[in-house]
Short mmCIF file of all heavy atoms in Angstrom, two decimals:
data_model
loop_
_atom_site.label_atom_id
_atom_site.label_comp_id
_atom_site.label_asym_id
_atom_site.label_seq_id
_atom_site.Cartn_x
_atom_site.Cartn_y
_atom_site.Cartn_z
N THR A 18 -9.77 85.49 112.83
CA THR A 18 -8.70 86.49 113.39
C THR A 18 -7.50 86.09 112.56
O THR A 18 -7.07 84.96 112.50
CB THR A 18 -8.45 85.88 114.80
OG1 THR A 18 -9.55 86.39 115.56
CG2 THR A 18 -7.13 86.66 115.45
N ALA A 19 -7.00 87.14 111.91
CA ALA A 19 -6.02 86.85 110.80
C ALA A 19 -4.65 86.41 111.32
O ALA A 19 -4.05 85.46 110.82
CB ALA A 19 -5.84 88.09 110.00
N LEU A 20 -4.23 87.02 112.39
CA LEU A 20 -2.92 86.64 112.97
C LEU A 20 -3.07 86.55 114.56
O LEU A 20 -3.57 87.53 115.17
CB LEU A 20 -1.78 87.60 112.51
CG LEU A 20 -0.33 87.28 112.96
CD1 LEU A 20 0.58 87.98 111.93
CD2 LEU A 20 -0.07 87.82 114.34
N TYR A 21 -2.62 85.48 115.03
CA TYR A 21 -2.90 85.14 116.42
C TYR A 21 -1.58 84.86 117.11
O TYR A 21 -0.88 83.89 116.74
CB TYR A 21 -3.90 83.98 116.52
CG TYR A 21 -4.62 83.68 117.74
CD1 TYR A 21 -4.72 84.66 118.80
CD2 TYR A 21 -5.28 82.41 117.96
CE1 TYR A 21 -5.36 84.30 119.89
CE2 TYR A 21 -5.87 82.09 119.16
CZ TYR A 21 -6.00 83.09 120.15
OH TYR A 21 -6.66 82.79 121.31
N VAL A 22 -1.31 85.51 118.19
CA VAL A 22 -0.18 85.25 119.05
C VAL A 22 -0.76 84.52 120.33
O VAL A 22 -1.58 85.25 121.05
CB VAL A 22 0.60 86.42 119.40
CG1 VAL A 22 1.86 86.06 120.28
CG2 VAL A 22 0.96 87.19 118.13
N HIS A 23 -0.29 83.36 120.64
CA HIS A 23 -1.10 82.41 121.42
C HIS A 23 -0.27 81.68 122.41
O HIS A 23 0.92 81.36 122.12
CB HIS A 23 -1.83 81.51 120.47
CG HIS A 23 -2.75 80.43 121.13
ND1 HIS A 23 -2.26 79.20 121.27
CD2 HIS A 23 -3.89 80.47 121.69
CE1 HIS A 23 -3.18 78.45 121.91
NE2 HIS A 23 -4.30 79.26 122.12
N ARG A 24 -0.82 81.34 123.47
CA ARG A 24 -0.28 80.34 124.44
C ARG A 24 -1.43 79.49 124.93
O ARG A 24 -2.36 79.87 125.53
CB ARG A 24 0.34 81.07 125.67
CG ARG A 24 1.35 80.23 126.51
CD ARG A 24 0.75 79.42 127.59
NE ARG A 24 1.76 78.96 128.59
CZ ARG A 24 1.27 77.98 129.50
NH1 ARG A 24 0.11 77.33 129.37
NH2 ARG A 24 2.24 77.59 130.40
N HIS A 25 -1.22 78.13 124.52
CA HIS A 25 -2.29 77.25 125.02
C HIS A 25 -2.49 77.16 126.48
O HIS A 25 -1.42 77.00 127.19
CB HIS A 25 -1.91 75.83 124.40
CG HIS A 25 -2.94 74.74 124.72
ND1 HIS A 25 -4.16 74.73 124.42
CD2 HIS A 25 -2.65 73.68 125.75
CE1 HIS A 25 -4.79 73.71 124.99
NE2 HIS A 25 -3.98 73.08 125.80
N LEU A 26 -3.68 77.14 126.97
CA LEU A 26 -3.93 76.96 128.34
C LEU A 26 -4.71 75.65 128.57
O LEU A 26 -5.74 75.42 128.10
CB LEU A 26 -4.89 78.17 128.91
CG LEU A 26 -4.30 79.57 128.75
CD1 LEU A 26 -5.27 80.50 129.28
CD2 LEU A 26 -2.98 79.58 129.59
N SER A 27 -3.96 74.78 129.14
CA SER A 27 -4.54 73.46 129.47
C SER A 27 -5.53 73.40 130.60
O SER A 27 -5.69 74.50 131.35
CB SER A 27 -3.39 72.48 129.91
OG SER A 27 -2.89 72.83 131.19
N PRO A 28 -6.34 72.40 130.65
CA PRO A 28 -7.22 72.33 131.77
C PRO A 28 -6.58 72.61 133.12
O PRO A 28 -7.22 73.19 134.04
CB PRO A 28 -7.92 70.93 131.61
CG PRO A 28 -7.77 70.64 130.21
CD PRO A 28 -6.51 71.15 129.81
N SER A 29 -5.41 72.08 133.31
CA SER A 29 -4.72 72.25 134.58
C SER A 29 -4.31 73.74 134.73
O SER A 29 -4.39 74.30 135.83
CB SER A 29 -3.33 71.34 134.65
OG SER A 29 -2.61 71.64 135.77
N ASP A 30 -3.80 74.36 133.66
CA ASP A 30 -3.60 75.81 133.67
C ASP A 30 -4.71 76.57 134.08
O ASP A 30 -4.69 77.52 135.00
CB ASP A 30 -3.08 76.30 132.28
CG ASP A 30 -1.67 75.90 131.89
OD1 ASP A 30 -0.87 75.61 132.91
OD2 ASP A 30 -1.48 75.69 130.66
N LEU A 31 -5.90 76.38 133.53
CA LEU A 31 -7.13 77.01 133.73
C LEU A 31 -7.60 76.89 135.28
O LEU A 31 -7.93 77.80 135.85
CB LEU A 31 -8.24 76.61 132.84
CG LEU A 31 -8.03 77.00 131.40
CD1 LEU A 31 -9.13 76.23 130.49
CD2 LEU A 31 -8.15 78.47 131.20
N GLN A 32 -7.49 75.64 135.75
CA GLN A 32 -7.85 75.37 137.14
C GLN A 32 -6.96 76.11 138.09
O GLN A 32 -7.32 76.78 139.01
CB GLN A 32 -7.72 73.90 137.44
CG GLN A 32 -8.77 73.10 136.80
CD GLN A 32 -8.59 71.60 136.96
OE1 GLN A 32 -7.66 71.18 137.69
NE2 GLN A 32 -9.35 70.72 136.20
N ASN A 33 -5.63 76.19 137.92
CA ASN A 33 -4.62 76.88 138.62
C ASN A 33 -4.92 78.36 138.57
O ASN A 33 -4.71 79.08 139.58
CB ASN A 33 -3.19 76.46 138.29
CG ASN A 33 -2.82 75.13 138.73
OD1 ASN A 33 -3.13 74.69 139.82
ND2 ASN A 33 -2.14 74.40 137.88
N LEU A 34 -5.19 78.92 137.33
CA LEU A 34 -5.44 80.25 137.32
C LEU A 34 -6.73 80.66 138.05
O LEU A 34 -6.71 81.76 138.75
CB LEU A 34 -5.77 80.69 135.82
CG LEU A 34 -4.50 80.81 134.97
CD1 LEU A 34 -4.77 81.03 133.51
CD2 LEU A 34 -3.59 82.04 135.41
N VAL A 35 -7.81 79.87 138.07
CA VAL A 35 -8.94 80.18 138.87
C VAL A 35 -8.65 80.13 140.21
O VAL A 35 -9.11 80.98 141.02
CB VAL A 35 -10.17 79.23 138.48
CG1 VAL A 35 -11.32 79.49 139.37
CG2 VAL A 35 -10.51 79.52 136.99
N ARG A 36 -7.92 79.07 140.75
CA ARG A 36 -7.61 78.88 142.21
C ARG A 36 -6.71 80.06 142.75
O ARG A 36 -7.04 80.42 143.88
CB ARG A 36 -6.96 77.58 142.46
CG ARG A 36 -7.93 76.42 142.63
CD ARG A 36 -7.27 75.28 143.29
NE ARG A 36 -6.18 74.73 142.47
CZ ARG A 36 -6.28 73.68 141.67
NH1 ARG A 36 -7.40 73.00 141.54
NH2 ARG A 36 -5.21 73.25 140.96
N ASN A 37 -5.73 80.39 141.96
CA ASN A 37 -4.73 81.25 142.39
C ASN A 37 -4.11 82.14 141.26
O ASN A 37 -3.03 82.01 140.90
CB ASN A 37 -3.56 80.53 143.19
CG ASN A 37 -2.50 81.44 143.74
OD1 ASN A 37 -2.75 82.70 143.87
ND2 ASN A 37 -1.29 80.86 144.08
N PRO A 38 -4.94 83.07 140.78
CA PRO A 38 -4.43 83.90 139.62
C PRO A 38 -3.20 84.69 139.78
O PRO A 38 -2.23 84.64 139.01
CB PRO A 38 -5.66 84.68 139.29
CG PRO A 38 -6.56 84.72 140.55
CD PRO A 38 -6.32 83.51 141.21
N GLN A 39 -3.06 85.26 141.00
CA GLN A 39 -1.84 86.03 141.22
C GLN A 39 -0.64 85.28 141.33
O GLN A 39 0.51 85.68 140.97
CB GLN A 39 -2.03 86.85 142.63
CG GLN A 39 -2.98 88.00 142.55
CD GLN A 39 -4.46 87.71 142.59
OE1 GLN A 39 -4.77 86.45 142.95
NE2 GLN A 39 -5.25 88.65 142.54
N GLY A 40 -0.82 84.00 141.85
CA GLY A 40 0.41 83.13 141.99
C GLY A 40 0.78 82.49 140.73
O GLY A 40 1.91 82.15 140.43
N TYR A 41 -0.27 82.16 139.92
CA TYR A 41 -0.06 81.33 138.72
C TYR A 41 0.12 82.09 137.43
O TYR A 41 0.86 81.57 136.50
CB TYR A 41 -1.17 80.32 138.56
CG TYR A 41 -0.94 79.11 137.61
CD1 TYR A 41 0.02 78.13 138.12
CD2 TYR A 41 -1.37 78.93 136.34
CE1 TYR A 41 0.39 76.98 137.32
CE2 TYR A 41 -1.20 77.95 135.64
CZ TYR A 41 -0.21 76.92 136.01
OH TYR A 41 0.14 75.91 135.30
N TYR A 42 -0.31 83.23 137.35
CA TYR A 42 -0.18 84.13 136.18
C TYR A 42 1.39 84.29 135.74
O TYR A 42 1.73 84.25 134.50
CB TYR A 42 -0.75 85.46 136.16
CG TYR A 42 -2.02 85.55 135.27
CD1 TYR A 42 -3.31 85.80 135.93
CD2 TYR A 42 -1.91 85.38 133.94
CE1 TYR A 42 -4.43 85.75 135.01
CE2 TYR A 42 -3.12 85.46 133.12
CZ TYR A 42 -4.32 85.67 133.62
OH TYR A 42 -5.39 85.75 132.91
N PRO A 43 2.39 84.54 136.72
CA PRO A 43 3.73 84.75 136.23
C PRO A 43 4.24 83.47 135.54
O PRO A 43 5.02 83.62 134.59
CB PRO A 43 4.41 84.91 137.65
CG PRO A 43 3.44 85.54 138.57
CD PRO A 43 1.98 84.86 138.17
N TYR A 44 3.86 82.24 135.86
CA TYR A 44 4.23 81.05 135.27
C TYR A 44 3.72 81.19 133.74
O TYR A 44 4.43 80.78 132.88
CB TYR A 44 3.78 79.85 135.92
CG TYR A 44 3.95 78.53 135.17
CD1 TYR A 44 5.19 78.05 134.91
CD2 TYR A 44 2.87 77.89 134.55
CE1 TYR A 44 5.48 76.81 134.05
CE2 TYR A 44 2.96 76.75 133.85
CZ TYR A 44 4.26 76.20 133.66
OH TYR A 44 4.44 75.11 132.91
N ILE A 45 2.41 81.47 133.68
CA ILE A 45 1.85 81.52 132.26
C ILE A 45 2.63 82.58 131.39
O ILE A 45 3.00 82.24 130.19
CB ILE A 45 0.36 81.93 132.33
CG1 ILE A 45 -0.48 80.84 132.93
CG2 ILE A 45 -0.19 82.16 130.91
CD1 ILE A 45 -0.43 79.58 132.27
N GLN A 46 2.97 83.78 132.00
CA GLN A 46 3.68 84.76 131.19
C GLN A 46 5.08 84.32 130.83
O GLN A 46 5.62 84.55 129.72
CB GLN A 46 3.68 86.05 132.05
CG GLN A 46 2.30 86.62 132.00
CD GLN A 46 2.22 87.92 133.08
OE1 GLN A 46 2.84 87.90 134.23
NE2 GLN A 46 1.63 88.89 132.62
N GLN A 47 5.81 83.66 131.82
CA GLN A 47 7.10 83.19 131.53
C GLN A 47 7.19 82.19 130.44
O GLN A 47 8.22 81.94 129.91
CB GLN A 47 7.71 82.66 132.88
CG GLN A 47 8.01 83.80 133.79
CD GLN A 47 8.18 83.28 135.36
OE1 GLN A 47 8.29 82.05 135.56
NE2 GLN A 47 8.13 84.11 136.27
N THR A 48 6.12 81.33 130.27
CA THR A 48 6.19 80.25 129.34
C THR A 48 5.31 80.47 128.12
O THR A 48 4.99 79.57 127.44
CB THR A 48 5.71 78.89 130.04
OG1 THR A 48 4.39 79.19 130.68
CG2 THR A 48 6.68 78.53 131.16
N ALA A 49 4.95 81.74 127.90
CA ALA A 49 4.10 82.15 126.81
C ALA A 49 5.02 82.55 125.59
O ALA A 49 6.26 82.59 125.65
CB ALA A 49 3.12 83.20 127.10
N THR A 50 4.32 82.87 124.42
CA THR A 50 5.05 83.27 123.24
C THR A 50 5.62 84.64 123.43
O THR A 50 4.94 85.53 123.98
CB THR A 50 4.06 83.13 122.12
OG1 THR A 50 3.71 81.74 121.95
CG2 THR A 50 4.77 83.57 120.78
N ARG A 51 6.84 84.91 122.96
CA ARG A 51 7.48 86.14 123.21
C ARG A 51 8.49 86.56 122.07
O ARG A 51 8.93 85.72 121.27
CB ARG A 51 8.28 86.12 124.50
CG ARG A 51 8.98 87.35 124.90
CD ARG A 51 9.79 87.20 126.28
NE ARG A 51 8.96 86.70 127.33
CZ ARG A 51 9.54 86.35 128.56
NH1 ARG A 51 10.82 86.26 128.77
NH2 ARG A 51 8.63 86.12 129.50
N ASN A 52 8.49 87.84 121.87
CA ASN A 52 9.47 88.47 120.83
C ASN A 52 9.01 88.02 119.45
O ASN A 52 9.65 87.23 118.79
CB ASN A 52 10.88 87.98 121.11
CG ASN A 52 11.42 88.59 122.38
OD1 ASN A 52 11.10 89.69 122.72
ND2 ASN A 52 12.48 87.94 122.98
N VAL A 53 7.92 88.51 118.93
CA VAL A 53 7.39 88.29 117.64
C VAL A 53 7.31 89.70 116.93
O VAL A 53 6.87 90.65 117.53
CB VAL A 53 5.88 87.68 117.83
CG1 VAL A 53 5.22 87.62 116.41
CG2 VAL A 53 5.88 86.35 118.42
N THR A 54 7.77 89.63 115.72
CA THR A 54 7.78 90.86 114.85
C THR A 54 6.91 90.55 113.61
O THR A 54 7.13 89.56 112.90
CB THR A 54 9.13 91.17 114.39
OG1 THR A 54 10.02 91.39 115.58
CG2 THR A 54 9.21 92.41 113.59
N ILE A 55 5.99 91.48 113.42
CA ILE A 55 5.17 91.46 112.30
C ILE A 55 5.42 92.79 111.47
O ILE A 55 5.14 93.83 111.91
CB ILE A 55 3.55 91.43 112.74
CG1 ILE A 55 3.40 90.36 113.68
CG2 ILE A 55 2.79 91.41 111.55
CD1 ILE A 55 2.31 90.51 114.68
N ASP A 56 5.93 92.54 110.20
CA ASP A 56 6.46 93.79 109.53
C ASP A 56 5.89 93.81 108.10
O ASP A 56 6.01 92.76 107.42
CB ASP A 56 7.95 93.61 109.58
CG ASP A 56 8.57 94.89 108.92
OD1 ASP A 56 7.90 95.98 108.64
OD2 ASP A 56 9.85 94.80 108.66
N ASN A 57 5.37 94.88 107.71
CA ASN A 57 4.94 95.21 106.29
C ASN A 57 3.98 94.13 105.85
O ASN A 57 4.06 93.46 104.71
CB ASN A 57 6.18 95.13 105.41
CG ASN A 57 5.96 95.58 103.97
OD1 ASN A 57 4.95 96.49 103.72
ND2 ASN A 57 6.49 95.02 103.05
N LEU A 58 2.86 93.90 106.48
CA LEU A 58 1.72 93.25 106.17
C LEU A 58 0.60 94.07 105.91
O LEU A 58 0.37 95.04 106.60
CB LEU A 58 1.35 92.10 107.32
CG LEU A 58 2.38 90.94 107.56
CD1 LEU A 58 1.73 89.93 108.43
CD2 LEU A 58 2.99 90.39 106.27
N GLN A 59 -0.25 93.61 105.00
CA GLN A 59 -1.58 94.32 104.73
C GLN A 59 -2.63 93.27 105.12
O GLN A 59 -2.61 92.18 104.59
CB GLN A 59 -1.66 94.60 103.33
CG GLN A 59 -0.64 95.69 102.93
CD GLN A 59 -0.86 96.13 101.40
OE1 GLN A 59 -1.97 96.49 101.04
NE2 GLN A 59 0.16 96.36 100.61
N PHE A 60 -3.57 93.76 105.88
CA PHE A 60 -4.71 92.99 106.37
C PHE A 60 -6.04 93.60 105.69
O PHE A 60 -6.12 94.74 105.98
CB PHE A 60 -4.86 92.94 107.76
CG PHE A 60 -3.68 92.36 108.53
CD1 PHE A 60 -2.60 93.11 108.92
CD2 PHE A 60 -3.71 90.95 108.96
CE1 PHE A 60 -1.48 92.58 109.56
CE2 PHE A 60 -2.54 90.45 109.62
CZ PHE A 60 -1.47 91.24 109.90
N LEU A 61 -6.72 92.85 104.98
CA LEU A 61 -7.97 93.37 104.32
C LEU A 61 -9.15 92.51 104.79
O LEU A 61 -9.19 91.32 104.50
CB LEU A 61 -7.77 93.33 102.88
CG LEU A 61 -8.98 93.90 102.09
CD1 LEU A 61 -9.34 95.29 102.35
CD2 LEU A 61 -8.83 93.72 100.52
N ASN A 62 -9.98 93.13 105.61
CA ASN A 62 -11.36 92.60 105.88
C ASN A 62 -11.31 91.19 106.62
O ASN A 62 -11.98 90.27 106.26
CB ASN A 62 -12.27 92.41 104.58
CG ASN A 62 -13.70 92.18 104.97
OD1 ASN A 62 -14.35 91.48 104.13
ND2 ASN A 62 -14.17 92.73 106.05
#
């Protein structure tokens, strides 16, 4: 995967997501990576 925009999910995050995805996803989104610009790149194979 040439370029990856990522938010690490800890074991605790995964457990909380499985237990209560509707309740916990907003926290994941609020603390994830945001506002990334990728401009004038060439990706080959």
Side-chain angles (χ1 to χ4, degrees):
T18 294
L20 188 150
Y21 196 16
V22 183
H23 178 257
R24 197 273 196 197
H25 173 69
L26 299 177
S27 69
S29 174
D30 287 331
L31 291 171
Q32 290 171 8
N33 285 320
L34 281 171
V35 170
R36 274 199 298 262
N37 182 15
Q39 285 83 4
Y41 198 72
Y42 252 118
Y44 168 73
I45 295 297
Q46 293 173 313
Q47 290 160 13
T48 56
T50 302
R51 183 180 298 171
N52 292 333
V53 173
T54 300
I55 305 151
D56 186 12
N57 190 31
L58 294 191
Q59 295 183 44
F60 299 85
L61 179 62
N62 195 214

